[in-house]
Amino acid sequence: MIEDKKLVEALKGKKEEVMEDDIETLEDITLEDVMEDEQLVEYPDIQKEPYSEHSLITIDKEYEEEEDNLFEPIPTGFKQLDDILVGGLMPTNLYIFSGKPGIGKSTFCIQMMQQIAAQKHKVIYATSEMNKRVIMFKLYNLVFAINQAQRGYDLDDTFNINNLSIFEELIHKKFKDAKKKKLYEDIKNNYLKEFGKYIYIIKTKKTQEVIDIVKAHPDSVLISDFIQKLEPKRTYQSDKQKVDEVLKELDELKDDCKIPIIAISSLNRTGYNSNKQEKMSSLKESGDLESDATAIFEITQGDNDIPSDTLTKQISIKCAKNRFGELCDFKATYYPNYGIFTKFDKEKK
């Protein structure tokens, strides 16, 4: 009976002494007797007991009650990348891709967008620089090249450029070859019919507009291109504070909507001077970018001995941070004419 009295005192949170004559058994105590406005969490060893929202038991309870699909990784479509990310992009996580201007960061993320949408998963591409039609043209050019490669056209054959690329025709809205135009329209229409509803493209520099479209389509992957150009809702005094405020708002967004975010980041000018692996501080206004990101990748030029007039560029993708997996570097072949990254080769650090 003494043990019962102690437990009752703990449950009621009262300092006054509990009289033995007032209580016969614990079963006589109702839930209302024990608590008034406190939040309760069930626990297997004790029938009912109050815990704060920050206790391990509460956190565990919330985890168990969440839907299983919140913890399913979303593959990027790049197998080697997915392997080190333990399956792909995880909800409520931030992934940073950085590099010098013109290295192919946006093109890489457009291909990732196409590969995620191919799994019938929604993707929002928020661009702060390129016209959204240019993003669309790059996507169509990629899809056209993939289709033509599947028909047998060799990506490495310079004579196939006209058969594999339509970017120039789309920019000028003019096809000289009627057969090529018809083929493109068939490929495009089939693509739109199957995957068009999974891709959203918005041009904006305001985080509020990004937040609004994500909340309208909460089951999405967000690609932000690029983070230093976004304007936060809150006021700021410096470029670094501006980036920190943007990160705070994106952090709230990914947690509220339970989505993964891919953000493209520029480098500091000092990071332009070498093809060697840069430190995370090379990220422009790096500050919270380093601490908030789950993984950070830097895209750099690979083999400098390859002539610039060839069809391909050798690219290195260096993993500077990975909270859940290994650190490693990739070599890849980039076809700028077609917007395709392929032939990945992983190198452990």
Side-chain angles (χ1 to χ4, degrees):
M1 199 61 189
I2 294 175
E3 291 298 317
D4 285 357
K5 288 166 56 180
K6 289 182 177 179
L7 182 55
V8 170
E9 289 176 358
L11 291 171
K12 297 184 90 172
K14 304 291 185 180
K15 293 184 179 180
E16 64 265 30
E17 182 178 358
V18 178
M19 303 301 295
E20 185 173 349
D21 293 340
D22 292 338
I23 301 170
E24 293 182 1
T25 65
L26 285 177
E27 286 74 13
D28 294 331
I29 306 174
T30 66
L31 182 61
E32 288 73 19
D33 292 328
V34 176
M35 292 293 297
E36 293 178 358
D37 296 323
E38 295 284 353
Q39 184 178 6
L40 294 179
V41 178
E42 292 184 7
Y43 192 65
D45 296 332
I46 301 176
Q47 186 178 8
K48 294 289 180 183
E49 188 166 335
Y51 291 91
S52 78
E53 61 178 317
H54 305 295
S55 74
L56 178 60
I57 292 176
T58 303
I59 297 168
D60 180 79
K61 178 73 173 178
E62 291 172 347
Y63 168 79
E64 292 296 336
E65 289 178 348
E66 284 183 328
E67 298 177 16
D68 292 342
N69 61 6
L70 293 177
F71 302 93
E72 285 291 328
I74 301 168
T76 65
F78 295 111
K79 183 182 182 304
Q80 294 82 355
L81 186 61
D82 291 332
D83 286 345
I84 69 165
L85 292 177
V86 197
L89 308 171
M90 292 293 292
T92 72
N93 285 280
L94 172 67
Y95 303 88
I96 301 290
F97 287 85
S98 67
K100 300 174 185 177
I103 197 66
K105 303 182 297 295
S106 298
T107 304
F108 184 83
C109 287
I110 289 171
Q111 185 175 347
M112 203 184 309
M113 171 178 69
Q114 181 267 331
Q115 291 169 169
I116 293 171
Q119 305 165 53
K120 298 189 176 179
H121 201 292
K122 291 180 182 179
V123 189
I124 298 169
Y125 198 105
T127 174
S128 58
E129 284 195 316
M130 282 190 286
N131 186 291
K132 58 184 179 181
R133 287 187 179 181
V134 174
I135 302 294
M136 181 180 71
F137 294 159
K138 285 176 173 286
L139 174 62
Y140 287 165
N141 189 53
L142 167 66
V143 171
F144 185 84
I146 291 172
N147 274 268
Q148 290 294 78
Q150 291 171 348
R151 292 167 182 255
Y153 288 98
D154 185 0
L155 294 175
D156 294 309
D157 189 341
T158 56
F159 291 103
N160 285 333
I161 292 179
N162 186 56
N163 293 313
L164 287 160
S165 177
I166 55 168
F167 189 73
E168 185 175 340
E169 286 95 331
L170 293 176
I171 288 291
H172 298 296
K173 204 175 183 180
K174 185 176 182 180
F175 281 80
K176 296 178 181 179
D177 186 334
K179 288 180 65 177
K180 185 178 181 182
K181 180 180 180 181
K182 176 67 167 57
L183 178 61
Y184 155 68
E185 288 176 346
D186 288 344
I187 291 173
K188 181 192 76 169
N189 291 335
N190 288 334
Y191 184 79
L192 285 173
K193 183 178 179 180
E194 189 168 3
F195 303 112
K197 63 183 178 182
Y198 299 108
I199 294 176
Y200 300 83
I201 304 171
I202 179 175
K203 181 179 181 183
T204 182
K205 293 183 180 180
K206 297 179 180 179
T207 57
Q208 184 59 59
E209 292 183 359
V210 175
I211 291 168
D212 290 342
I213 191 171
V214 169
K215 289 190 174 180
H217 306 281
D219 300 323
S220 306
V221 174
L222 172 63
I223 299 176
S224 176
D225 180 7
F226 60 95
I227 202 165
Q228 282 83 5
K229 285 285 186 178
L230 285 176
E231 293 287 338
K233 294 181 291 183
R234 307 178 183 98
T235 57
Y236 57 89
Q237 302 297 323
S238 66
D239 287 343
K240 181 184 179 307
Q241 191 180 63
K242 170 186 170 182
V243 173
D244 288 348
E245 289 298 327
V246 167
L247 284 170
K248 287 177 185 177
E249 292 171 18
L250 293 181
D251 187 64
E252 293 171 3
L253 178 64
K254 68 180 177 59
D255 288 343
D256 290 345
C257 294
K258 294 182 171 56
I259 62 165
I261 294 179
I262 298 166
I264 297 175
S265 173
S266 59
L267 295 175
N268 288 317
R269 293 263 174 202
T270 55
Y272 292 179
N273 300 325
S274 172
N275 284 323
K276 296 180 180 179
Q277 183 173 355
E278 302 292 343
K279 298 179 181 179
M280 284 188 284
S281 57
S282 295
L283 296 171
K284 192 171 183 181
E285 313 305 339
S286 58
D288 287 352
L289 280 172
E290 298 175 34
S291 57
D292 289 358
T294 296
I296 298 175
F297 298 92
E298 183 193 353
I299 302 175
T300 64
Q301 183 74 44
D303 191 345
N304 291 322
D305 295 329
I306 296 179
S308 59
D309 59 349
T310 62
L311 278 173
T312 64
K313 291 182 180 180
Q314 295 305 305
I315 296 294
S316 291
I317 301 174
K318 304 174 184 295
C319 182
K321 176 183 178 180
N322 189 4
R323 191 169 288 163
F324 297 137
E326 63 178 314
L327 296 178
C328 67
D329 296 346
F330 299 99
K331 289 182 179 179
T333 300
Y334 171 37
Y335 295 83
N337 289 297
Y338 317 130
I340 294 176
F341 287 78
T342 187
K343 301 176 185 177
F344 281 72
D345 182 24
K346 184 173 73 170
E347 293 184 345
K348 290 188 177 181
K349 291 186 176 182

